[in-house]
Amino acid sequence: MNGNIFKSAPILVPLFSPKSENFTKWAVIACDQITSDPAYWKRVEERVGDSISTYQFILPEAYLGTEKEKSHMQQWKSYMSCYRSTPIRPRLNKYHGFVFVERTLGTGKTRRGILGMIDLEAYDYSKESKSQVRATEETVPSRIPPRMKNRSMATVEFPHILVFADDKSGFFKKAEELAGRVLYDFDLMENGGHLKGSAIEKEAADELEALIGESEKLSSLPYAVGDGNHSLAAAKAHYENLKKELGDEAAEHPARYALCEIVSLDDDAIEFEPIHRIIKGVDRADLISSLEKSAVRGDGEQTVTVITKDGEAKYSFTEKTHAMTVGTLQNFIDGYISAHGGASCDYIHGEKALRQRVEEDSVAFMFDGFEKSRIFEFIGDGPMPRKTFSMGDAESKRYYLEARQIVK
């Protein structure tokens, strides 16, 4: 294999005609999205019906802690184990290369990406990481073991990982020029927009891979994980276990790599939205009193809007404990929750959804986002606080479609 961090991969794609309705049933949104709306996943299940779908290869987090979790997990195990036989494998076509992905979002904008595999040897999600692939946000260790367990039992991977690339050689433009035969071109279910994927293979893949290698050499930090960091962290943890078990042989194991889509920060369709906070199970007056020990009313350098059933007001922190507003806010929230049993924090996408969730025993915090162009700057000294930003709404995230075998 070449020395690239991001490279071409043996990719599996269903053997449907590019515009087939079967693709709509096959492609499902990331498992960690729409977690508070079980009705969404019920509609997905009904839409899929008896058809083969990536829905059978994932465990939606909306099912965690419910009766549905156990039955769906059994289904997941069954489909993973039968991948090597019928009915899955004969319906997946394997080729080696990249996929040039064009995703038309609800905004009407089209996000362009390149699907390939990333070398986990170059990835480190720790706070002290100086690796060439880093997490943009803080990784929560407790979220890794269950994902790693699933990874260790999986025969194939379906990625929802999106990685920002520092494109110093112009390889995204070249990828669009090299895109060949259309693999799929269809509407996604549940208002997911439109998805088109074109193969970049053989000589074209070699040309693109060389240009990507040039770009990697020009940047000390060529890649930053934008979405799906805990899935990538689980893949890394699983690979580290394989290294202990297999020794030098692990270097040639397919689990050394993880399939992901890289995207450019320069893409107009890449939009960052802040992920707001709401603390539940609290005495509102007591929480506001605690806040006022480190913040004052009004605008300032680090300002948040505090929303309760009584109304809302802006507060600016006078004691900054982090370079980013969200970091100072999260430090305050973590300290408050640790001192008040029964209080909990939830992370909400969108102002409307945040306001809808405000109850008598809750306090919501809303704040502005940051310029996406500064992301490599911010993570140069370590990952940003967990749940700092979102790449658009839930329906804008990557859908599961392509796969790669991760066992020998």
Side-chain angles (χ1 to χ4, degrees):
M1 289 190 175
N2 65 45
N4 279 21
I5 299 169
F6 184 74
K7 58 187 70 182
S8 58
I11 298 172
L12 301 167
V13 179
L15 282 168
F16 307 138
S17 61
K19 295 182 181 293
S20 171
E21 169 70 13
N22 288 325
F23 267 119
T24 300
K25 295 180 180 181
W26 171 266
V28 172
I29 202 171
C31 65
D32 60 352
Q33 300 299 311
I34 323 289
T35 57
S36 59
D37 184 7
Y40 174 93
W41 289 99
K42 182 174 177 57
R43 292 195 303 272
V44 170
E45 185 175 42
E46 292 172 348
R47 179 69 181 269
V48 168
D50 295 330
S51 301
I52 295 173
S53 170
T54 57
Y55 173 71
Q56 290 121 6
F57 285 87
I58 65 167
L59 177 64
E61 292 190 6
Y63 294 164
L64 297 180
T66 71
E67 293 181 2
K68 188 71 174 174
E69 178 180 1
K70 186 176 181 179
S71 63
H72 198 83
M73 191 63 185
Q74 285 300 118
Q75 179 178 255
W76 178 89
K77 290 179 180 178
S78 173
Y79 272 78
M80 277 294 176
S81 65
C82 77
Y83 158 73
R84 295 178 181 275
S85 57
T86 57
I88 305 300
R89 193 166 191 171
R91 302 193 187 186
L92 293 176
N93 181 39
K94 182 178 180 180
Y95 84 96
H96 199 107
F98 298 98
V99 178
F100 181 69
V101 180
E102 298 172 87
R103 170 73 182 282
T104 303
L105 307 173
T107 61
K109 295 182 178 180
T110 299
R111 184 180 71 216
R112 294 166 177 82
I114 305 168
L115 186 82
M117 63 183 187
I118 207 156
D119 190 349
L120 294 171
E121 286 284 5
Y123 167 62
D124 178 7
Y125 56 81
S126 70
K127 291 183 178 181
E128 301 78 22
S129 174
K130 298 300 178 184
S131 62
Q132 292 176 288
V133 185
R134 300 182 204 171
T136 53
E137 297 179 335
E138 180 184 346
T139 304
V140 182
S142 63
R143 296 183 65 187
I144 297 175
R147 288 169 170 78
M148 183 179 68
K149 181 180 179 181
N150 287 354
R151 178 86 176 184
S152 68
M153 294 188 293
T155 53
V156 288
E157 63 172 349
F158 291 89
H160 70 264
I161 301 163
L162 289 169
V163 177
F164 301 123
D166 187 11
D167 180 12
K168 291 189 177 300
S169 64
F171 63 79
F172 272 97
K173 182 178 179 180
K174 175 58 68 173
E176 189 165 10
E177 295 173 2
L178 295 172
R181 63 190 175 98
V182 176
L183 301 169
Y184 50 81
D185 187 1
F186 66 100
D187 288 335
L188 293 158
M189 68 169 74
E190 290 292 321
N191 301 312
H194 191 86
L195 192 59
K196 180 181 179 181
S198 305
I200 301 175
E201 51 192 330
K202 300 177 181 177
E203 293 82 4
D206 292 340
E207 183 178 351
L208 181 60
E209 206 158 61
L211 201 58
I212 290 172
E214 287 182 24
S215 181
E216 291 176 356
K217 292 174 183 177
L218 293 171
S219 177
S220 59
L221 177 52
Y223 302 109
V225 185
D227 197 43
N229 182 66
H230 287 89
S231 293
L232 195 61
K236 172 73 170 182
H238 172 56
Y239 172 56
E240 291 299 323
N241 282 346
L242 283 178
K243 287 165 69 174
K244 296 174 184 176
E245 177 186 335
L246 302 176
D248 293 341
E249 292 181 21
E252 302 301 321
H253 197 284
R256 171 177 171 172
Y257 301 90
L259 205 62
C260 65
E261 181 182 336
I262 60 172
V263 293
S264 172
L265 282 175
D266 294 331
D267 194 320
D268 289 341
I270 300 292
E271 298 178 346
F272 286 0
E273 296 180 3
I275 302 178
H276 306 301
R277 273 72 167 150
I278 185 167
I279 306 182
K280 299 180 289 187
V282 297
D283 180 305
R284 302 197 307 269
D286 180 72
L287 190 149
I288 298 298
S289 177
S290 294
L291 177 66
E292 289 177 342
K293 294 176 182 178
S294 56
V296 295
R297 280 195 175 232
D299 287 312
E301 188 176 344
Q302 292 191 342
T303 301
V304 296
T305 299
V306 180
I307 307 170
T308 70
K309 279 291 186 180
D310 295 332
E312 62 183 73
K314 288 187 176 182
Y315 282 85
S316 58
F317 286 101
T318 54
E319 298 180 15
K320 293 185 291 184
T321 59
H322 193 279
M324 302 178 72
T325 301
V326 62
T328 299
L329 172 61
Q330 191 63 54
N331 288 338
F332 164 74
I333 290 174
D334 290 344
Y336 186 85
I337 289 178
S338 66
H340 295 77
S344 63
C345 180
D346 198 3
Y347 302 89
I348 308 298
H349 299 254
E351 178 179 343
K352 181 179 179 181
L354 182 72
R355 293 182 183 279
Q356 290 174 339
R357 285 169 170 77
V358 176
E359 304 288 347
E360 290 294 337
D361 66 343
S362 63
V363 178
F365 294 88
M366 189 168 62
F367 53 92
D368 293 333
F370 65 95
E371 290 294 328
K372 65 179 183 178
S373 59
R374 301 187 66 190
I375 195 165
F376 285 97
E377 169 194 340
F378 279 130
I379 69 171
D381 295 323
M384 296 181 288
R386 63 186 181 277
K387 301 287 187 181
T388 293
F389 70 95
S390 171
M391 293 173 62
D393 57 24
E395 288 79 9
S396 299
K397 301 302 177 67
R398 190 177 208 283
Y399 276 55
Y400 301 111
L401 195 150
E402 305 90 348
R404 185 180 71 94
Q405 186 170 317
I406 56 172
V407 293
K408 285 191 172 181

